[in-house]
Amino acid sequence: MPDPNGFLRYNRRLPARRPVPVRITDWREVYPAAGAELIREQATRCMDCGIPFCHEGCPLGNRIPDWNDLVRTGDWDAAVDSLHATNNFPEFTGRLCPAPCEAACVLGIGGGQPVTIKQVEVEIADAAVARGGLRPRPVAAPTGRSVAVVGSGPAGLAAAQQLARAGHAVTVYERDDALGGLLRYGIPDFKLEKRHIDRRLAQLAAEGVQFRTGVNVGVDVTAEELRARHDAVLLACGALQGRDTPETPGRELRGVHQAMSHLVAANRVVAAAGDGRPALAVLPDGTPIDATGKHVVIIGGGDTAADCLGVAHRQGAAGVHQLDLYPEPPETRDAARDPWPTWPWVLRNYPAHEEGGARVFAVAVQEFVDDGTGQVKGVRIAEVTVEKRDGRRIVTPLPGSERELPADLVLLAIGFEGTEVQPLLAQFGVARNARGAVDARPDWQTDADADGVFVAGDMHRGASLIVWAIAEGRAAAAAIHSYLDGVGTLPAPVDPARQPLAAR
Ligand SMILES: Cc1cc2nc3c(=O)[nH]c(=O)nc-3n(C[C@H](O)[C@H](O)[C@H](O)COP(=O)(O)OP(=O)(O)OC[C@H]3O[C@@H](n4cnc5c(N)ncnc54)[C@H](O)[C@@H]3O)c2cc1C
Ligand code: SF4
């Protein structure tokens, strides 16, 4: 029985972030641990609602009121088990998820203060490590069937763990030199220190998952070879085709880059430095892409843009502007537009925004300005209005509103256009749809030339969230288990058609 008055006695509180002047001198995570007392207090605010709308917000179906109450009563071991029953990697989602569960929490109705679900989650996940580590789970007797997982992001790893625990022989193929997908070299350490990935990978390896890094499927091994080696294949290759702006004058100038080029280069030097000071970030061909001493302009308003902002400040940028096409969102939910419990359009201040830089809303780049040597020296912007007509986005510049911002480094963080065009697709006979994603049938199989080729994560959904990647990985694993005539069923939290909560 939960505490019926908890939310009346306690306000929503989060642990203080590390001070800005300290944290921008290193790459460590922004949040310190909250401490058991604060977390117990916050978990006490949960009302254990008869209809827990937080469940509806979470594609994993996390048993949120259950583990809130277990934390309240101090039964941390049971809380750890309850959390792991629905989520393979709560240390990732607890740190990184934007928490649609909190947007759907009943305590948030009418502008109230939702339970700090995500903070409780990460504390339980870290308690699992502190209370004896991530021990391997028992694995079922070998089934004699084998599965190839292509891609080691959260979708591929969640599927691999589920299938290995069910007794199948699982091999994960990853073209990069390290495992983790976007969590490894896309997301900076100040959001997710890589020890969390390494710890989880050790658990998967101990449960029997085999890893092959540096293997680009479609190039180093063909689809045909993979099919011959394995009884089923799961494609979990992500949605890494960055959107570009080739029509903008000056796009070809030196210093104008895709945001992911900047993030990957920066995260690689941090990984290589260990505890030492990272070297300047460079592209694989040696071209510098470091923000040190530079005026940086980041184009885009999402996660990727905020990550570039945090990296630019840690690299010692002279100044940063972050440009957004859309007007500044409201501070609080507009109930007419986004009624509770849907995900609201509100101003999201990431920790990186506390660290400096100027956000400029409702502007569009008209030109990248040449310094006369082929290097960018500025960005000419105009104020704009944006409207949707017949499903198309119409951007209209305001006459006379143009101005120039200084820029030595410009980073395009304007979204992704689905999964990359790469040889693997043609070899499996898999097509990209109009969104650049790969369609799945209700049983998670693709329309590949042969049976037994499944898809999950961003490759299926388009650029999305870690929580959706894990949910799809678990569901695809359940479908593969059934395809291989495995005993019993595995949990399938979502089907391929499932969408986030939305007002109809
Ligand atoms: C900069 C950035 C920040 C983000 N921040 C957040 C956040 O804070 N919170 C959040 O919830 N989500 C965030 N996201 C989104 C989240 O990272 C993705 O939704 C998630 O990683 C998708 O998981 P996935 O397993 O489908 O694919 P990915 O993580 O993209 O992994 C796909 C893997 O497949 C590999 N691969 C591709 N082709 C082949 C091949 N032919 N052979 C072998 N391997 C191959 C790739 O190298 C990659 O490692 C962020 C995304 C970006 C870009
Ligand atoms: S909706 Fe909020 S208060 Fe209700 S059970 Fe979920 S977390 Fe607890």
Side-chain angles (χ1 to χ4, degrees):
M1 177 66 189
D3 181 337
N5 298 318
F7 71 98
L8 296 173
R9 283 191 285 126
Y10 303 116
N11 285 328
R12 178 183 163 101
R13 283 202 297 143
L14 288 167
R17 294 167 183 158
R18 295 170 57 224
V20 170
V22 176
R23 73 189 196 224
I24 59 164
T25 63
D26 64 44
W27 295 84
R28 296 203 337 267
E29 281 173 11
V30 162
Y31 282 100
E37 201 179 317
L38 174 60
I39 285 309
R40 183 181 289 205
E41 171 194 294
Q42 292 300 304
T44 303
R45 296 186 67 241
C46 175
M47 303 183 292
D48 191 8
C49 302
I51 300 176
F53 277 87
C54 52
H55 279 197
E56 300 302 314
C58 177
L60 282 168
N62 276 340
R63 301 169 184 169
I64 294 162
D66 293 7
W67 37 261
N68 274 336
D69 203 48
L70 290 164
V71 167
R72 181 184 71 82
T73 56
D75 193 347
W76 284 87
D77 288 334
V80 167
D81 287 345
S82 176
L83 185 54
H84 278 125
T86 56
N87 187 351
N88 297 70
F89 313 129
E91 65 279 21
F92 304 160
T93 43
R95 284 180 168 77
L96 297 169
C97 192
C101 55
E102 292 187 17
C105 174
V106 171
L107 282 179
I109 296 177
Q113 303 175 330
V115 174
T116 57
I117 300 170
K118 174 173 136 155
Q119 193 67 40
V120 177
E121 178 183 24
V122 79
E123 296 292 329
I124 301 172
D126 289 353
V129 175
R131 301 167 91 80
L134 297 176
R135 283 187 294 269
R137 290 281 175 93
V139 170
T143 60
R145 312 305 296 274
S146 105
V147 183
V149 174
V150 186
S152 68
L157 292 180
Q161 185 163 57
Q162 293 295 96
L163 289 163
R165 287 177 176 174
H168 304 296
V170 181
T171 306
V172 176
Y173 295 86
E174 170 56 57
R175 68 182 174 190
D176 236 326
D177 60 354
L179 300 157
L182 279 171
L183 276 52
R184 176 67 63 178
Y185 294 130
I187 293 177
D189 288 52
F190 55 80
K191 274 171 62 179
L192 180 78
E193 290 175 15
K194 306 312 167 197
R195 62 197 164 97
H196 303 298
I197 310 175
D198 296 336
R199 214 177 258 143
R200 198 49 91 165
L201 289 169
Q203 186 194 43
L204 266 75
E207 290 169 355
V209 178
Q210 303 276 320
F211 296 110
R212 303 271 181 276
T213 50
V215 180
N216 189 347
V217 174
V219 177
D220 302 317
V221 52
T222 65
E224 201 180 334
E225 287 165 337
L226 214 62
R227 275 217 213 92
R229 282 184 208 165
H230 302 280
D231 299 304
V233 178
L234 174 65
L235 302 177
C237 301
L240 302 166
Q241 188 84 38
R243 183 167 292 135
D244 213 308
T245 174
E247 71 288 351
T248 307
R251 168 62 185 93
E252 73 292 348
L253 295 174
R254 290 194 309 281
V256 183
H257 298 280
Q258 282 283 348
M260 285 307 291
S261 305
H262 178 235
L263 289 174
V264 171
N267 293 334
R268 278 186 178 280
V269 292
V270 172
D275 287 335
R277 193 175 169 71
L280 291 186
V282 291
L283 295 176
D285 68 1
T287 309
I289 190 169
D290 203 279
T292 308
K294 294 198 173 132
H295 292 284
V296 182
V297 170
I298 302 165
I299 304 173
D303 274 331
T304 307
D307 289 357
C308 287
L309 180 66
V311 168
H313 282 125
R314 281 162 183 74
Q315 288 178 336
V320 189
H321 283 93
Q322 187 190 338
L323 312 184
D324 200 321
L325 194 59
Y326 293 97
E328 184 166 347
E331 296 272 347
T332 53
R333 183 193 288 274
D334 173 350
R337 178 196 149 123
D338 306 312
W340 174 89
T342 62
W343 181 246
W345 181 63
V346 290
L347 182 66
R348 295 189 196 281
N349 288 312
Y350 297 83
H353 292 118
E354 289 174 356
E355 296 164 3
R359 293 169 92 171
V360 190
F361 291 94
V363 291
V365 175
Q366 308 299 296
E367 182 190 358
F368 302 109
V369 184
D370 194 341
D371 74 349
T373 71
Q375 159 70 38
V376 69
K377 70 157 188 168
V379 169
R380 196 160 51 78
I381 59 172
E383 291 171 26
V384 294
T385 56
V386 185
E387 55 183 326
K388 274 251 165 89
R389 253 186 256 148
D390 303 328
R392 288 183 53 236
R393 191 172 68 181
I394 312 287
V395 180
T396 313
L398 251 71
S401 68
E402 289 195 6
R403 62 191 162 109
E404 192 174 315
L405 300 173
D408 319 298
L409 177 64
V410 178
L411 301 170
L412 306 177
I414 51 179
F416 295 87
E417 291 184 329
T419 201
E420 285 161 277
V421 178
Q422 53 166 315
L424 159 149
L425 296 178
Q427 287 182 17
F428 277 104
V430 167
R432 293 163 87 239
N433 62 23
R435 296 182 299 108
V438 171
D439 288 329
R441 296 187 224 143
D443 65 354
W444 294 95
Q445 290 208 50
T446 62
D447 287 326
D449 296 338
D451 275 356
V453 181
F454 296 75
V455 64
D458 278 7
M459 190 176 190
H460 161 252
R461 180 161 287 276
S464 179
L465 295 174
I466 293 162
V467 69
W468 278 99
I470 298 173
E472 291 211 355
R474 286 171 72 85
I480 294 170
H481 183 65
S482 152
Y483 173 79
L484 297 177
D485 297 324
V487 176
T489 53
L490 298 182
V494 290
D495 63 48
R498 169 89 178 263
Q499 292 298 324
L501 272 180
R504 300 268 172 243

